[in-house]
Amino acid sequence: MPEGSVRNFDEISDRLDQIIATVRSKDTSLERSLDLFDEAIELGSRAVDMVDKFELTPREADKLEQEYDEDAANESQDSQAASLDTNG
């Protein structure tokens, strides 16, 4: 999958995985590895741009905030339980 055909975040992730596998191969030349490194940098920049431009719907934002609040409450309970265990 050449860089120009990558259109979404999942395709970028797949292409980066391919690049990693290729670079790890002992048969890949240094020159090819450097070319792939350049492609990976470009793909990474595109992925960051996609994430920066991504906007949640109000419903998604509310759900994410609710999950965050639940996670924080669970962590607080876990730390309190650990504190009780050590103070015994």
Side-chain angles (χ1 to χ4, degrees):
M1 176 183 317
E3 176 187 344
S5 67
V6 176
R7 293 184 189 91
N8 63 44
F9 195 85
D10 289 334
E11 290 177 356
I12 288 174
S13 180
D14 291 344
R15 179 61 184 142
L16 288 171
D17 288 341
Q18 291 172 356
I19 289 171
I20 290 168
T22 302
V23 169
R24 285 185 175 167
S25 169
K26 294 176 183 173
D27 297 330
T28 305
S29 69
L30 177 59
E31 183 177 353
R32 177 73 177 133
S33 294
L34 292 173
D35 289 341
L36 290 170
F37 177 77
D38 289 340
E39 180 182 348
I41 295 296
E42 177 61 31
L43 289 171
S45 295
R46 288 173 62 187
V48 168
D49 289 344
M50 286 179 179
V51 169
D52 287 346
K53 291 177 184 176
F54 182 78
E55 292 187 29
L56 297 173
T57 65
R59 183 177 176 189
E60 291 170 327
D62 289 343
K63 184 176 179 182
L64 188 62
E65 185 176 343
Q66 180 183 9
E67 290 174 1
Y68 176 80
D69 290 344
E70 289 171 358
D71 288 345
N74 289 336
E75 286 179 14
S76 176
Q77 289 175 351
D78 290 346
S79 66
Q80 288 175 354
S83 176
L84 290 175
D85 287 345
T86 59
N87 293 332

